Amino acid sequence: MLAQQRQATILERVRAAGGVRVSELAAEFGVSDMTIRRDLESLHERGLLAKVHGGATVAGPGSTDEPGFRAKSVRQPAEKAAIADRAAQLVRPGAAVALSAGTTTAELARRLVDVPGLTVVTNSLPVAEVMHAGGRPDQTVVLTGGVRTPSDALVGPLAVAAIRSLHLDLLFLGVHGISERAGFTTPNLMEADTDRALVAAADRLVVLADHSKWGTVGISSIVELSAAHVLISDERLPPEARRVLGEHVGELVTVTATGTPTNEGAAE
């Protein structure tokens, strides 16, 4: 297959699925990872897709652009895994925790399946599936109702009503973007309402967000930066982001790809 034909097929895959992985494309076309990376670079330079770590996603996100779960899952996988490893250390047996929708919270769910007596409340279909498939018999998983979004979240009045009756120890919140002005944001208006209900129901808020979320602003703010008791990110977080977050969140924790945490200190 000629490079032009292969690139056209890759572009079709991205547009259909929202994202692709280098390893999967290399196996499909029977070529090296380097060949696929050159294809992605060519398409990226032409503005036809966006390169991410390990693959590519659709190009041109805006404040209301909401990539699908698969598209987001190819972004920063090592960082998300390290963040999830650190977040899991905050969960104790018998706790009642909420996991919002998101690929990082889905990574966290995979690390909670062996925690005894855990109650997990979630509006994420992937999180609920992970806990259902691999969880312990003494765990309880509560999946809210609601309208399904492109990122496999359940949102809207039904979800909000279900969450408002609950009292939770911890909320692990995945976000679309972070900025000093807008706080933690999402591209989906109804998801913002649902996330705010989760925040109100929990004693402590732990935000899980890799470095790429800094400077991204979705159309709707969830909560301001100071609402986060803990924010777990990765070591590639820019210096300006560290300064701002260190001044506003309760505690900023950064991790390396191997999961070793580095505490940046707490806000006064």
Side-chain angles (χ1 to χ4, degrees):
M1 180 181 289
L2 297 175
Q4 186 176 2
Q5 295 173 309
R6 189 172 58 245
Q7 290 173 17
T9 303
I10 290 171
L11 191 56
E12 290 177 2
R13 298 279 194 280
V14 172
R15 288 172 174 169
V20 292
R21 293 181 183 275
V22 169
S23 58
E24 293 175 355
L25 292 174
E28 177 180 348
F29 293 114
V31 297
S32 68
D33 285 5
M34 184 57 67
T35 296
I36 296 299
R37 293 184 194 282
R38 285 196 293 266
D39 288 337
L40 297 182
E41 180 64 31
S42 176
L43 292 167
H44 173 73
E45 289 177 351
R46 289 147 58 191
L48 298 174
L49 54 70
K51 287 178 59 184
V52 297
H53 181 78
T57 63
V58 292
S63 64
T64 60
D65 181 77
E66 186 173 7
F69 186 87
R70 176 179 171 83
K72 292 190 291 185
S73 69
V74 302
R75 301 175 178 176
Q76 287 77 45
E79 287 86 348
K80 290 176 181 177
I83 290 169
D85 286 341
R86 181 63 179 86
Q89 298 175 22
L90 302 177
V91 180
R92 298 291 179 262
V97 303
L99 274 65
S100 77
T103 51
T104 309
T105 52
E107 280 293 319
L108 174 59
R110 297 183 180 96
R111 290 151 177 80
L112 300 184
V113 293
D114 293 323
V115 180
L118 196 64
T119 296
V120 175
V121 175
T122 187
N123 68 320
S124 165
L125 292 168
V127 167
E129 180 57 31
V130 168
M131 299 303 300
H132 174 74
R136 295 167 51 102
D138 60 356
Q139 292 179 338
T140 300
V141 179
V142 179
L143 178 64
T144 70
V147 178
R148 186 172 183 169
T149 72
S151 58
D152 288 343
L154 296 178
V155 302
L158 288 175
V160 171
I163 294 164
R164 281 179 175 166
S165 65
L166 303 176
H167 304 280
L168 306 165
D169 299 314
L170 272 174
L171 164 62
F172 294 98
L173 180 70
V175 298
H176 175 77
I178 308 172
S179 82
E180 183 173 13
R181 175 183 62 83
F184 302 110
T185 65
T186 172
N188 187 299
L189 292 170
M190 287 200 296
E191 187 162 9
D193 287 338
T194 306
D195 285 344
R196 281 192 288 270
L198 286 168
V199 171
D203 289 339
R204 286 175 59 80
L205 169 61
V206 181
V207 177
L208 310 181
D210 66 74
H211 69 277
S212 68
K213 305 300 177 67
W214 175 254
T216 298
V217 179
I219 192 172
S220 184
S221 295
I222 303 168
V223 289
E224 59 189 17
L225 298 180
S226 61
H229 295 91
V230 181
L231 189 151
I232 305 177
S233 189
D234 64 87
E235 63 182 353
R236 295 172 63 189
L237 195 66
E240 176 64 10
R242 293 174 185 249
R243 181 190 67 78
V244 171
L245 294 171
E247 291 175 355
H248 289 85
V249 305
E251 180 184 7
L252 172 63
V253 178
T254 58
V255 295
T256 68
T258 57
T260 303
T262 303
N263 290 313
E264 299 294 338
E268 295 297 332

